Amino acid sequence: MKRNIVIAAVTAAALIGGGTATALATTGDDGGSARQAANTRLSADDDRNDQDDRDDDSRDDDAAQAASADVTASEAIASALKHTSGTAVSAELDDEDDNAKVIWKVDVLSGDNTWHSVSVDPSNGRVLGSHTDDEDDTAQVRAALKGSSVTAEEAAKAAAGKGVVTSVDLDEDGKDKSWEAETRKSGAAEQDWKVDLKTGKVTADRSDAQDDDSDDQD
């Protein structure tokens, strides 16, 4: 009843004034607010669905990149060390300068404490080039590796039993120092693992899972 009265009143005013008017139909209840809230929820759901789709696409792309690499992480490290002698500290399958070409990037710490970033072709293991880097954690890395018996190459081989290894890196911070490895499987999310520096034992990275849970709660 109130909606009809408002519309009639606005229409009459428009006719008398000889102009145009826009009638905003309202009701005595909160129907308008409810509709607005529903539309807001639908929009938020759409945004979440779009983000989920993007995450799925990213996961699929990463899995496809990993699956397309004929050269494993351990083989890439071995190839890099043949080119540049030293200690491999990390290896990562990544886009080269954010373009479509995927390469292995292997960080090698040489005997004179010079850092080298070696690029390895994932299709044949050939070294594509290398350059020196400036790093400020050389002393920490040396200290973490002192007394260790498991190399980055061996850590990558150990983690390969959990999936396709896309990265291996030395965690030199904190009390429990270890190799950290990331694996992927087709259609699945990435998984993070810790590889013991002395035994080569592979365990799930619980600290990473806890960080994810904390982020979700925030």
Side-chain angles (χ1 to χ4, degrees):
M1 179 63 74
K2 289 182 180 180
R3 180 171 60 247
N4 293 335
I5 292 173
V6 172
I7 294 174
V10 175
T11 303
L15 292 174
I16 294 172
T20 60
T22 301
L24 177 62
T26 61
T27 63
D29 56 18
D30 292 332
S33 298
R35 284 194 297 275
Q36 183 178 3
N39 290 335
T40 301
R41 287 194 298 271
L42 288 174
S43 177
D45 289 342
D46 289 341
D47 290 341
R48 282 194 295 271
N49 289 336
D50 290 342
Q51 182 62 49
D52 290 342
D53 290 340
R54 288 192 293 269
D55 291 342
D56 289 341
D57 291 341
S58 176
R59 217 168 23 238
D60 291 341
D61 290 342
D62 290 337
Q65 289 178 357
S68 65
D70 295 325
V71 176
T72 65
S74 59
E75 291 170 342
I77 292 171
S79 181
L81 291 177
K82 285 182 181 179
H83 179 273
T84 304
S85 62
T87 302
V89 179
S90 70
E92 181 181 14
L93 187 63
D94 198 10
D95 294 344
E96 183 180 23
D97 298 327
D98 296 327
N99 62 28
K101 187 175 181 179
V102 178
I103 62 170
W104 281 108
K105 293 181 180 179
V106 183
D107 289 334
V108 178
L109 178 58
S110 64
D112 61 355
N113 289 337
T114 300
W115 287 89
H116 303 266
S117 179
V118 184
S119 300
V120 179
D121 193 318
S123 63
N124 54 29
R126 183 170 62 88
V127 172
L128 302 174
S130 67
H131 63 270
T132 58
D133 278 338
D134 293 327
E135 300 288 349
D136 57 4
D137 59 347
T138 302
Q140 287 177 287
V141 169
R142 293 290 190 195
L145 291 175
K146 186 177 181 179
S148 66
S149 55
V150 177
T151 65
E153 182 180 352
E154 292 168 339
K157 288 180 179 179
K162 305 296 184 179
V164 178
V165 178
T166 56
S167 72
V168 59
D169 188 21
L170 177 66
D171 178 14
E172 73 274 15
D173 298 323
K175 181 180 179 181
D176 298 325
K177 298 173 177 58
S178 64
W179 291 107
E180 291 183 334
E182 181 180 288
T183 63
R184 291 186 182 274
K185 292 182 179 180
S186 179
E190 67 183 35
Q191 289 184 287
D192 296 306
W193 309 90
K194 286 184 175 294
V195 183
D196 192 278
L197 288 171
K198 293 184 178 181
T199 66
K201 182 180 179 180
V202 181
T203 57
D205 190 348
R206 300 299 182 188
S207 62
D208 184 79
Q210 290 172 358
D211 290 341
D212 290 342
D213 292 341
S214 177
D215 292 339
D216 292 340
Q217 291 173 0
D218 292 340

